[in-house]
Amino acid sequence: MSAKPVLDHPSLPFVKEAFPDVGLKASEFRGMTTLVVPREKLHEVARFLRDSPECGYDFLSHVLGVDYLDYPVETPGRFAVVYLLASSRHDTRLTIKTFLDPSVDTSGIDFDPELEVDSVTDIWPGAEWPERETFDMYGIRFRNHPDMRRILTWRDFPGHPLRKDYPLRGRGEREHYKTLGRESR
Amino acid sequence: MPYTLEPDQGFDLDIESTEYLKDHVQGADRWVLNFGPQHPATHTTLRLVLELDGERVARCTPHIGYLHSGFEKLGEHHDYNQYVCTVSRMDYVSPILNDVAWHHCVEGLFGIDLTPRAKVLRTIMSELGRIMNHLLCVGAAALDLGAFTGFLYGFNEREHLYDIMEYVSGQRYHPDWTRVGGAWRDLPDDEVFKRMVKNLLHERLPRAIGDLENLLNRNRIFVDRLRGVGCITAEDAISWGLSGPVARASGVRRDVRKDKPYLCFQDNWDGEGAEAVRFSVPVSTEGDCFSRYLVRVEELKQSMAIVEQLIDRIPPGPLNVLDDSKAILPQHGDVYGSIEGVIQLFELKMHNRGWDTPIGETYDCVESPNGELGFYIVSDGGRCAWRAATRPPCFLNYSVFEKLVEGHQLADVPAIIGSLNIIAAELDR
């Protein structure tokens, strides 16, 4: 296995200084530094990372979800939302991540208040579609998002397909798809 | 006239602050046009719901997902070598670059450093892929405006690129050529490969690009239809996550090949102090459709220069890293000729075997013709990725589309789609 991680990312000291009692965690693997932020503080930390001149992460590369159901290593929550940031000014990259735990059955599409994160579309408007995709695929909702709809599957799709408890071959959505005739509206 | 078409004022039109456009369709002058998903100008399956005021687009709502086929779900059930065949189908205009991108990221996760020969060959192939993509995009930009000749000038040369792909990988269109630690086979013959590439570089491409430029660069119709259309400023381009030629046409100097160098774009790529390949990153400041076209044409020439620098420097030696290691597939001769070869093949291919991968998460990216193409891979130590998330450049580039078209004429919609080079297979995955 690889050596002990080295946390020498240039932005970390500034984040630590600005958010002393938040419980931030950081890890490093293969040269990529990940900052784990509690869900409530995510929006504040993201704004700090963009606005402070020492960090200057003006480019949000992507937003994606991960499901850690039955992952071999213990994680702080079942779902994670990952934000890939890059700074044009300092030419650095940083990954921030927040963990969520569902409170209702994840096989359905019921609203779950625990699976909700503040949207970062007001900081990086480009987050709009990636956040919609994360909602579509994992059912993680984003508060204050301008247009929180599904994006890749259709409106009434009865599942969130990238969750680990969703089977690879689906639940028969395609076979049982309602046929629309000329008369049916 | 509530509309301005000045390139330097951000988006052309802000719906919220334009009194005239605030409400949804009402009254006789407003009507709704459903554009696509099956329409020649959308190239593939994009659907736009356009609210028109006469012929002007008052509001545009893109609906995507018509080509969604669950690639990322498949990525969690295919092993690191198998998934390349799926990845290849994402940006199907330059499939080889997807292969290179995927295995670049996987090798980042495994911590494998390629052999110099593999680096050179992958760099050459990925630049040929970029040429392939830009030729189509530039040609299609002309086609969307009715200049069929330009399309043929571009598409014709792609045929010769297919020939090279076929020679290298055995498949004309989707090479699926890379494997963990190298490629599935070496070049059949170095000299033949060099001759094919040089013929393309010296005989065919300069003529085709010259024809395209002569036809389009000062063409009154082409220029008038593209200049000042679909503008976006550098600040907006960065905050909306745009990358690649679309961002560079707005004056954003970002190129993964320079910012986060990989393969031969990195100094000391052969371990003996070789210099990185030299090329420049074309940037325009206008941010309109015409400058996107110009940036792409210039990138074609830069890619040709990169291939030119490397084609005579293909180092001899092994293609695959650590030929005796257990990480890569054995050569066919070894499989059929020795018991060790059979064992190694089975060790990698059988369902309960495979790689002993590190547990961790990595993100790596390459510069694809449309921008930053990356993969976020979560590994659980098994033979398949736990999560293989794509960072598709088209997806981010297309998200800004509604802002670009609002306020323009209906006839500008195909021009703007063409200039963004949206590939629906990558958009929807």
Side-chain angles (χ1 to χ4, degrees):
Chain A
M1 284 304 289
S2 52
K4 201 174 175 297
V6 193
L7 288 177
D8 57 352
H9 194 279
S11 305
L12 289 184
F14 302 109
V15 185
K16 215 166 121 183
E17 196 187 314
F19 297 93
D21 301 316
V22 173
L24 300 170
K25 293 190 188 69
S27 69
E28 194 258 10
F29 180 67
R30 301 264 193 243
M32 184 181 92
T33 305
T34 308
L35 184 69
V36 179
V37 183
R39 174 164 75 120
E40 303 75 38
K41 289 286 175 184
L42 183 93
H43 192 267
E44 273 177 57
V45 173
R47 186 170 284 286
F48 171 79
L49 284 173
R50 192 200 62 173
D51 287 344
S52 81
E54 297 89 6
C55 300
Y57 289 95
D58 51 359
F59 185 79
L60 176 72
S61 189
H62 204 38
V63 180
L64 55 103
V66 185
D67 183 355
Y68 290 103
L69 181 69
D70 300 332
Y71 191 66
V73 178
E74 188 79 15
T75 52
R78 175 172 159 190
F79 290 104
V81 186
V82 179
Y83 299 79
L84 304 167
L85 310 179
S87 161
S88 322
R89 189 180 305 159
H90 303 293
D91 198 16
T92 49
R93 280 173 185 266
L94 182 68
T95 308
I96 57 176
K97 198 171 169 184
T98 185
F99 283 96
L100 310 166
D101 250 328
S103 62
V104 298
D105 179 28
T106 52
S107 60
I109 53 170
D110 299 332
F111 171 70
D112 185 350
E114 286 298 310
L115 292 185
E116 211 175 22
V117 193
D118 283 326
S119 167
V120 294
T121 41
D122 53 336
I123 305 173
W124 298 283
E128 185 177 333
W129 280 23
E131 286 185 347
R132 276 177 68 185
E133 193 194 339
T134 310
F135 163 62
D136 191 356
M137 293 296 152
Y138 289 95
I140 298 166
R141 284 170 187 272
F142 293 87
R143 225 173 280 132
N144 306 326
H145 187 282
D147 189 13
M148 196 79 266
R149 288 182 294 137
R150 284 176 177 271
I151 189 164
L152 292 178
T153 58
W154 59 92
R155 193 188 63 195
D156 302 325
F157 190 81
H160 292 295
L162 275 181
R163 285 179 175 175
K164 286 284 178 185
D165 48 10
Y166 187 88
L168 175 64
R169 284 167 185 269
R171 297 200 188 107
E173 289 84 2
R174 199 152 56 160
E175 289 77 3
H176 306 130
Y177 195 60
K178 203 170 99 195
T179 317
L180 293 177
R182 224 165 244 290
E183 301 75 35
S184 51
R185 276 266 160 186
Chain B
M1 243 336 244
Y3 307 97
T4 52
L5 292 179
E6 292 302 316
D8 51 5
Q9 294 183 356
F11 296 122
D12 298 327
L13 186 71
D14 184 12
I15 297 293
E16 304 314 323
S17 62
T18 310
E19 197 59 37
Y20 179 59
L21 293 174
K22 227 173 188 170
D23 301 320
H24 273 265
V25 179
Q26 44 176 243
D29 293 345
R30 291 287 199 93
W31 56 295
V32 174
L33 180 72
N34 191 29
F35 188 92
Q38 306 273 340
H39 186 282
T42 63
H43 296 282
T44 33
T45 48
L46 313 171
R47 178 176 167 222
L48 304 170
V49 177
L50 301 168
E51 269 177 43
L52 297 172
D53 174 56
E55 273 206 51
R56 279 206 199 261
V57 181
R59 194 181 299 260
C60 162
T61 317
H63 291 272
I64 69 168
Y66 287 88
L67 221 53
H68 178 61
S69 26
F71 282 8
E72 291 181 6
K73 190 81 177 172
L74 280 175
E76 296 169 5
H77 294 81
H78 282 170
D79 77 26
Y80 293 102
N81 272 340
Q82 288 172 328
Y83 189 49
V84 73
C85 300
T86 310
V87 163
S88 187
R89 272 79 182 160
M90 282 183 185
D91 187 349
Y92 53 77
V93 179
S94 53
I96 185 75
L97 255 152
N98 304 327
D99 302 2
V100 171
W102 166 248
H103 274 126
H104 175 68
C105 301
V106 172
E107 282 144 13
L109 171 75
F110 287 13
I112 294 176
D113 192 26
L114 291 175
T115 60
R117 186 177 170 83
K119 283 185 187 170
V120 170
L121 284 179
R122 279 197 188 178
T123 315
I124 292 176
M125 293 304 277
S126 58
E127 290 310 308
L128 290 178
R130 194 181 318 278
I131 292 172
M132 213 164 157
N133 193 313
H134 284 350
L135 277 178
L136 179 75
C137 176
V138 168
L143 176 71
D144 290 340
L145 304 178
F148 204 87
T149 322
F151 179 69
L152 294 180
Y153 284 157
F155 215 87
N156 207 13
E157 303 315 315
R158 280 171 56 93
E159 191 59 38
H160 298 270
L161 283 156
Y162 296 154
D163 287 347
I164 296 176
M165 296 295 159
E166 186 189 6
Y167 186 71
V168 171
S169 70
Q171 297 190 68
R172 231 167 78 85
Y173 202 86
H174 287 292
D176 307 335
W177 177 63
T178 56
R179 294 289 182 273
V180 173
W184 83 267
R185 76 165 182 194
D186 206 338
L187 296 180
D189 186 336
D190 281 19
E191 289 308 316
V192 177
F193 175 70
K194 280 184 198 169
R195 207 161 56 231
M196 288 173 95
V197 174
K198 279 180 181 167
N199 178 38
L200 182 83
L201 283 187
H202 299 151
E203 307 288 328
R204 309 210 59 101
L205 279 180
R207 212 168 55 202
I209 296 174
D211 281 348
L212 269 171
E213 285 188 308
N214 288 342
L215 179 70
L216 299 175
N217 273 13
R218 298 184 60 202
N219 184 321
R220 183 68 190 272
I221 303 171
F222 188 74
V223 174
D224 281 359
R225 288 286 305 277
L226 294 186
R227 184 161 275 166
V229 170
C231 300
I232 181 165
T233 58
E235 291 75 36
D236 285 334
I238 293 177
S239 62
W240 277 88
L242 304 192
S243 54
V246 181
R248 289 195 282 275
S250 299
V252 182
R253 277 181 294 169
R254 288 187 75 91
D255 188 319
V256 183
R257 293 174 290 176
K258 293 276 190 197
D259 302 340
K260 202 168 178 285
Y262 55 97
L263 297 178
C264 294
F265 306 111
Q266 204 172 14
D267 275 324
N268 191 23
W269 49 265
D270 63 349
E272 290 163 14
E275 249 183 63
V277 287
R278 288 197 194 145
F279 69 103
S280 28
V281 180
V283 172
S284 163
T285 51
E286 299 286 318
D288 56 359
C289 289
F290 190 61
S291 52
R292 276 169 226 149
Y293 158 78
L294 290 178
V295 164
R296 284 206 169 87
V297 172
E298 188 52 38
E299 279 188 18
L300 272 173
K301 296 176 187 163
Q302 295 298 331
S303 292
M304 283 165 66
I306 293 171
V307 179
E308 187 75 59
Q309 286 170 50
L310 291 173
I311 190 68
D312 282 322
R313 289 166 68 196
I314 302 176
L319 175 72
N320 285 334
V321 65
L322 303 171
D323 255 335
D324 54 341
S325 83
K326 302 296 176 212
I328 55 154
L329 291 172
Q331 295 293 317
H332 270 210
D334 293 340
V335 177
Y336 295 120
S338 71
I339 188 72
E340 290 81 10
V342 181
I343 292 173
Q344 193 183 332
L345 182 81
F346 278 18
E347 283 286 346
L348 287 181
K349 288 215 162 173
M350 281 166 69
H351 270 259
N352 52 351
R353 303 295 168 89
W355 292 272
D356 198 7
T357 52
I359 296 179
E361 313 187 0
T362 55
Y363 175 73
D364 247 321
C365 51
V366 304
E367 181 73 19
S368 90
N370 286 326
E372 179 186 323
L373 172 62
F375 289 94
Y376 187 87
I377 306 177
V378 182
S379 159
D380 65 336
R383 58 191 280 277
C384 306
W386 184 263
R387 170 90 166 102
T390 322
R391 193 271 177 201
C394 281
F395 189 74
L396 278 290
N397 290 359
Y398 194 46
S399 68
V400 79
F401 178 74
E402 52 182 284
K403 305 284 181 298
L404 293 182
V405 295
E406 280 166 1
H408 282 296
Q409 300 277 355
L410 175 60
D412 295 330
V413 172
I416 298 173
I417 294 181
S419 79
L420 293 180
N421 194 20
I422 303 304
I423 313 292
E426 185 183 77
L427 182 72
D428 297 346
R429 287 153 288 134

